[in-house]
Every structure is written in C-alpha cells, then in structure tokens.
C-alpha cells in the first residue's frame, strides 16, 4: 500500500480528491485562458476573429467528441488510467501551444490539451460515485465545480496581471509541466475504488445495484442514449453553460473593452467576478438541492434568472461600476445551476453506466461552446467596419450587439430544456419502489 492503512479511509479519500481537483483546475484554466490573451494570439498568428474563435474551439471540439468515450473509459477501465494518460496528453499539448511558432502548431497544441483534459471531469465524477455516498453527490459535484472555476478565475484577472511580467508562452509551458507532474503522481497513488486500498466502499442509496456488472460498453452506451430522461440535461448544458463558457472564456473581455469602453483591466475584473461567483454558485446549487431534496426547481429558477441577467448585460450601457460587478456576479451565480444536470443523469441511469450518463449530459456543454465560439466570431467579421488597433481587428458596438443575441438564443434553449428534467427527489431511480417511481413519473 502506498498509503498507510493507519491513515484511514477519509484521509486517503481527501488526498486523492485534492489531487484530482487540482487537475480539474487546469482544465478550467485552459478553457478560459484564450480570453485573456486574445489580442496576443491575433497579433502573433495574424488571424481574424473567426480564426481566433476556431483556435479556441479546437479545445472544445476534441473535448466534446471525447466526452462519451471518456465515460466509457471510466466505466470500463476505471478513472486511474484516464487520469494518467489525460494529464500526460494535456501536459504535452500545453507545452506545444506555449512554444508554437505557427497557427497550425498552436492548434495542434490546443487539440492535445483538449484531448487530455477531456477525461478529467468524468474521472472525478466516477471517483465521487465510488468514494462518496449517493446522498452527497450533488454537494460533491458543487465542490468540484468550485475548485474547477478557481482555475478559470486564475485565467482571467490574475493571468492578466501575470502577463505584465512574463510571456503567455511561459505560462502555458509551466502549466504543461504541472500536468505532467500530476500524471506521474496519479500513476503512483491514484486507485479506482476504496477496495483497492483495502477500504469498504461507502453505502449508496441505490443499495447493492451499484455492484452489478453492466453489459458490453456499446450496449450500455445505446441503453443510456435511449433513456429519454438523459437528454434534457444535455440541452440545458448546451444553452446555459455552453453560452457562459463562450462568454467568459473568449468574448467577454473583448466585448466589454471594445463595445462598452472599459479598459482591459476593468473588463478582466468583471469577468473575474463572474468566474468567482460561478465557482461558489456551483457549490451553493448543489447544497441547496441536497438540502431541500429536489433538483428541478433549483435548475429551472437558476436558468431563468441567468437568462434575465444576461439580457440586462446585453442591452444596458455598462460602465466599470458597482452595478456592472453586481450584474456579472449574478450572471456567474445563476449560470452554474446546471451542475445539477450531472447529478440528475446519474440518478436516472443504471449505476454501472454512471460514467456514460454523465458524459452524454456533459457533452452538451462543449457542443454548445464548439458551435458558438466560431459563430460569434463569424458574426463579428460579417459586421466588421474595417477598423484596426495596433494591427488587430476591432469591432463596433453594432457588431457585438448582433453577436450577443446568440447568447440569449442559447439561454432560451437551456430554460426550455430545464422544464423537461426528471425529478427524482435526490434518490436513484433504480432504488425506488414501484409506487414511488409511478408518483415521480406523474409529477415529472
């Protein structure tokens, strides 16, 4: 045993959880960092807004394509292999991106990063399902969201400050070295289940069904895909989180700087506030849901409030002020109710297929970003008036106004989808009696 038995189950679980969430912080850092260096990337690689969106979306392309395979890998091989190989690929890709001397090389680096980090979140969800009781799953998902979003926070305001002293290339090479180190540590210490360390698994609300073996991974995949209760979570993530990630990760700072006249520092501060509140919003949503024993009301209300707040951000003449920070804080707070879609997915699918179920729902987020990032840039390019600043394209308020409507359209998709989520009252659907299942089916 690499950990002494005398450490106890909770100590080992905590150390492994901290390691996994450290890797997840880097997932969000890579996801959001292009927004802080958008101008540098357009200058170094001499690219348009659409090509910048495509470069950033390379990460989301492979991330989205890998979500279902990630779930299959986690269910079939366990999350240890995913953590080792994922961090290895992400580390190599980050170093390649930092050293890139061409657009093609930078895209290859982003692709490798996306490939590597695509398995991290599902691995953590699989870890949580094995090492924590089912009653705490939403809360743990919220804590994971909190720690991940702290990586996004580092990629906004703090990164802007760091870039005053060091090159963006140095930052990404350093991030790559950290990922490579986590890969080595995972190989030495991470194990799939408590039993691998000689511990007894925590008791799950679904009883002994969590120990049943599923069928072939392909039949499990089709079984989950045929489950109609899975897909509302996919579309809710597509509209809400897909739009929020696109805004925070690439176009939020340019919008506030070019269309609203804020300095880059002020714009980065607003996005940082949004990211910080996103981090705490994920934790709060999970806690409230577990506390009241409901998923659906929390999800619906947060999606509606996010849409209303985003409409205000789109149409109000924002300046750097307390009101702007409040609005962006609320935007971040309300954007993360969708963390509950992952819990809902786990609760309506067989426990042996938990990885596949959460991966399908999580795919919605990155499919949304994959479509919206370049589409937003394309709309800007269509409305471009030919202006440059320091050799980089700049866009007018009119251009941004048309492009920002895309976010509201996305948000409406998320709101509608939330009403079709299946409420399970924080219990796994396979653990319910026939009478309880019928009541839940009627109540929807």
């Amino acid at each position: 045993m690499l950990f002494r038995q005398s450490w106890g189950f909770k100590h080992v679980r905590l150390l492994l959880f901290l390691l996994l969430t450290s890797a997840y912080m880097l997932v969000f850092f890579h996801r959001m960092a292009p927004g802080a260096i958008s101008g540098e990337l357009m200058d170094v690689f001499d690219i348009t807004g659409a090509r910048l969106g495509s470069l950033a979306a390379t990460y989301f392309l492979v991330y989205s394509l890998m979500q279902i395979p990630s779930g299959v890998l986690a269910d079939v091989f366990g999350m240890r292999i995913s953590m080792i190989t994922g961090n290895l690929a992400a580390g190599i890709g980050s170093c390649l991106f930092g050293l890139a001397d061409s657009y093609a090389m930078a895209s290859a680096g982003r692709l490798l990063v996306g490939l590597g980090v695509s398995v991290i979140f599902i691995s953590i969800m699989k870890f949580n399902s094995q090492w924590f009781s089912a009653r705490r799953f939403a809360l743990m998902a919220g804590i994971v969201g909190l720690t991940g979003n702290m990586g996004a926070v580092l990629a906004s305001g703090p990164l802007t400050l760091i870039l005053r002293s060091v090159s963006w290339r140095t930052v990404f090479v350093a991030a790559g070295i950290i990922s490579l180190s986590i890969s080595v540590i995972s190989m030495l210490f991470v194990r799939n289940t408590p039993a691998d360390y000689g511990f007894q698994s925590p008791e799950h609300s679904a009883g002994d069904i969590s120990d049943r073996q599923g069928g072939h991974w392909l039949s499990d995949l089709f079984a989950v895909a045929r489950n109609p209760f899975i897909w509302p979570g996919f579309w809710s993530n597509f509209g809400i989180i897909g739009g929020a990630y696109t805004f925070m990760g690439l176009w939020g700072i340019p919008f506030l700087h070019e269309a609203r006249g804020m300095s880059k520092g002020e714009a980065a501060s607003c996005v940082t506030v949004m990211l910080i509140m996103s981090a705490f919003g994920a934790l709060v949503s999970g806690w409230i849901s577990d506390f009241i024993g409901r998923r659906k009301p929390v999800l619906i209300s947060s999606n509606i409030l996010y849409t209303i707040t985003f409409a205000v951000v789109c149409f109000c003449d924002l300046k750097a002020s307390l009101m702007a920070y409040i609005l962006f804080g609320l935007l971040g707070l309300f954007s993360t109710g969708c963390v509950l879609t992952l819990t809902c997915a786990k609760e309506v699918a067989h426990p042996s297929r938990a990885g596949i179920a959460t991966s399908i729902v999580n795919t919605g987020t990155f499919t949304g970003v994959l479509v919206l990032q370049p589409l937003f840039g394309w709309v800007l390019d269509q409305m471009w008036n030919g202006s440059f600043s320091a050799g980089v394209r700049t866009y007018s308020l009119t251009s941004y106004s048309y492009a920002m409507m895309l976010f509201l359209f996305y948000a409406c998709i998320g709101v509608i989808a939330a009403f079709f989520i299946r409420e399970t009252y924080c219990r796994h659907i396979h653990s319910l009696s026939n009478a309880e299942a019928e009541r839940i089916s009627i109540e929807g």
Side-chain angles (χ1 to χ4, degrees), residues 55-314:
L55 175 61
T58 301
Y59 166 104
F60 292 99
L61 170 62
V62 67
Y63 199 111
S64 179
L65 293 176
M66 278 297 297
Q67 283 309 284
I68 294 177
S70 295
V72 173
L73 290 173
D75 284 345
V76 175
F77 297 106
M79 56 88 181
R80 178 174 180 265
I81 295 299
S82 296
M83 285 294 296
I84 295 170
T85 56
N87 282 289
L88 177 63
I92 295 173
S94 185
C95 291
L96 184 64
F97 181 75
L99 299 172
D101 59 3
S102 68
Y103 180 82
M105 186 174 176
S107 297
R110 286 287 290 177
L111 187 147
L112 268 178
V113 168
L115 178 65
V117 301
S118 65
V119 302
I120 304 300
F121 180 73
I122 299 301
S123 297
I124 297 177
M125 291 296 101
K126 188 70 175 181
F127 173 87
N128 288 350
S129 70
Q130 296 288 337
W131 288 76
F132 293 94
S133 65
R135 190 72 176 100
R136 296 183 178 179
F137 196 85
L139 176 62
M140 296 312 301
I143 294 174
V144 171
L146 169 65
T147 55
N149 275 282
M150 295 314 295
V153 171
L154 291 175
S156 55
L159 179 57
T160 302
L161 294 176
I162 292 172
L163 292 174
R164 296 177 183 177
S165 303
V166 300
S167 167
W168 65 271
R169 296 182 180 277
T170 302
V171 171
F172 279 91
V173 171
I177 293 173
I178 294 174
S179 290
L180 294 173
S181 300
I182 293 176
S183 178
V184 173
I185 296 172
S186 297
M187 181 172 59
L188 295 175
F189 295 104
V190 171
R191 298 295 182 267
N192 291 321
T193 66
D196 293 333
Y197 271 115
F199 299 120
Q200 184 177 359
S201 298
E203 188 173 329
H204 293 265
S205 65
D208 63 356
I209 59 173
S210 60
D211 297 325
R212 299 175 191 165
Q213 297 298 316
H216 187 273
W217 68 265
L218 191 58
S219 64
D220 285 348
L221 174 60
F222 281 120
V224 174
R226 288 195 300 268
N227 186 340
F229 301 156
I230 293 293
W231 293 102
F234 174 96
W235 289 108
S236 184
N237 283 355
F238 179 95
I240 302 297
I241 305 297
Y245 281 177
T246 299
F247 187 74
M248 292 186 293
L250 188 61
W251 295 113
I253 293 176
F255 164 71
L256 294 174
H257 175 58
E258 296 179 16
R260 296 305 183 191
M262 294 187 189
S263 68
K264 282 194 173 181
E266 291 168 341
S269 295
C270 285
V271 173
T272 300
V273 170
M274 183 178 175
L275 289 166
I276 291 174
M277 294 306 294
S278 294
F280 287 100
L283 179 61
V284 170
S285 296
W287 179 82
I288 292 176
S289 176
D290 283 345
F291 181 77
I292 67 174
R294 301 285 297 273
R295 308 295 188 207
K296 194 170 180 178
V298 180
L299 179 60
I300 291 175
S301 59
S302 63
N303 283 10
I304 291 175
L305 290 170
Y306 168 85
T307 304
I308 293 172
T309 307
F310 212 109
V312 175
V313 170
C314 286

Side-chain angles (χ1 to χ4, degrees), residues 38-40 42-43 47 258 384 387-394:
S38 57
E40 288 86 344
M42 294 179 74
D43 183 33
I47 54 178
E258 296 179 16
W384 181 50
S387 61
F388 287 90
S389 177
V392 178
R393 285 192 180 196
T394 58

